[in-house]
Amino acid sequence: MQSAELKIDEAGFSVVEVAVALTLMAIAVIGAMSLLGASTTEFYRSQSRSKVEMVANGLLDELAIRHANGDSIASMSIDDWSSYLTSNDISTVNATIDISDKTGLSDYSITSTSLTDNYLIVVGGIGIPEAGDIFLIEDNAVNCRVASYEVTGLGKQVGFGDSCDISGLSPVGKNLLFADYKATINLTARGVGTVSKTRQFFSSWKSN
């Protein structure tokens, strides 16, 4: 007669095997939850940053409108925007605005160019262009940024980056037109860090 007793290896999984399986399942669940939590955190951080960037761009848009209307913007401070910032959950304590008056940067006249070395030789002007300043060449819709400025044996030399393509222009004898104001806004929010936005304004145009 066959014994009714079963050996251990015939009885299915042992207690140790079940415990190991449950442990592995728990580790997998915890890992999945951690990934989900990290993904959710990153999603909300991205949303918060987008909101802060929207607020900063909103301030710059308002400055552009006021400047276009002939209002003075050079003396404006971050406190002038306290209601707007508060309504978007940003404290003026965590915000700064710097508006540089560039109106003293008189127009320069271009006397020669070097497309090989990316610079213009100019005369006139009472101000000193700074790296990052945006300029236009008179009668042309090409926006360029100052890469460098120095006085050499050739004269006042304004360097520009590779992104400024003036190869099809005839700039000699034309003016170099600079922006009137340069505004930089820094907004800091928890979980986002600091968002910095800069825009330059000219009497008839603006550039990001």
Side-chain angles (χ1 to χ4, degrees), residues 105-127:
L105 193 61
S106 297
D107 296 340
Y108 288 82
S109 178
I110 303 170
T111 59
S112 64
T113 66
S114 173
L115 299 183
T116 303
D117 298 318
N118 286 2
Y119 67 77
L120 306 171
I121 300 298
V122 299
V123 295
I126 60 174

Side-chain angles (χ1 to χ4, degrees), residues 132-192:
D133 284 351
I134 296 177
F135 65 86
L136 283 177
I137 295 174
E138 187 180 15
D139 299 330
N140 293 295
V142 179
N143 290 3
C144 300
R145 288 183 184 271
V146 175
S148 62
Y149 175 80
E150 58 182 324
V151 179
T152 69
L154 298 175
K156 297 177 180 179
Q157 181 173 305
V158 177
F160 54 87
D162 294 332
S163 60
C164 178
D165 184 10
I166 63 172
S167 57
L169 307 181
S170 299
V172 176
K174 295 183 178 179
N175 289 333
L176 209 60
L177 309 176
F178 287 91
D180 293 336
Y181 296 96
K182 178 180 180 180
T184 301
I185 292 175
N186 297 297
L187 302 179
T188 302
R190 187 170 62 178
V192 175

Side-chain angles (χ1 to χ4, degrees), residues 28-158:
V29 170
I30 292 173
M33 293 299 293
S34 297
L35 288 174
L36 178 61
S39 178
T40 302
T41 300
E42 183 58 33
F43 172 75
Y44 283 114
R45 181 184 292 117
S46 178
Q47 273 199 329
S48 298
R49 185 174 183 84
S50 295
K51 180 181 178 181
V52 175
E53 289 181 345
M54 180 189 69
V55 172
N57 285 325
L59 286 176
L60 292 173
D61 288 340
E62 180 64 23
L63 285 173
I65 292 172
R66 296 193 180 196
H67 178 53
N69 289 336
D71 298 338
S72 174
I73 65 173
S75 61
M76 301 194 75
S77 70
I78 200 65
D79 291 329
D80 294 314
W81 313 97
S82 58
S83 297
Y84 175 68
L85 292 171
T86 302
S87 66
N88 284 282
D89 303 320
I90 298 175
S91 169
T92 55
V93 176
N94 298 320
T96 62
I97 182 171
D98 176 62
I99 302 175
S100 301
D101 188 342
K102 298 284 185 178
T103 54
L105 193 61
S106 297
D107 296 340
Y108 288 82
S109 178
I110 303 170
T111 59
S112 64
T113 66
S114 173
L115 299 183
T116 303
D117 298 318
N118 286 2
Y119 67 77
L120 306 171
I121 300 298
V122 299
V123 295
I126 60 174
I128 298 177
E130 299 177 333
D133 284 351
I134 296 177
F135 65 86
L136 283 177
I137 295 174
E138 187 180 15
D139 299 330
N140 293 295
V142 179
N143 290 3
C144 300
R145 288 183 184 271
V146 175
S148 62
Y149 175 80
E150 58 182 324
V151 179
T152 69
L154 298 175
K156 297 177 180 179
Q157 181 173 305
V158 177

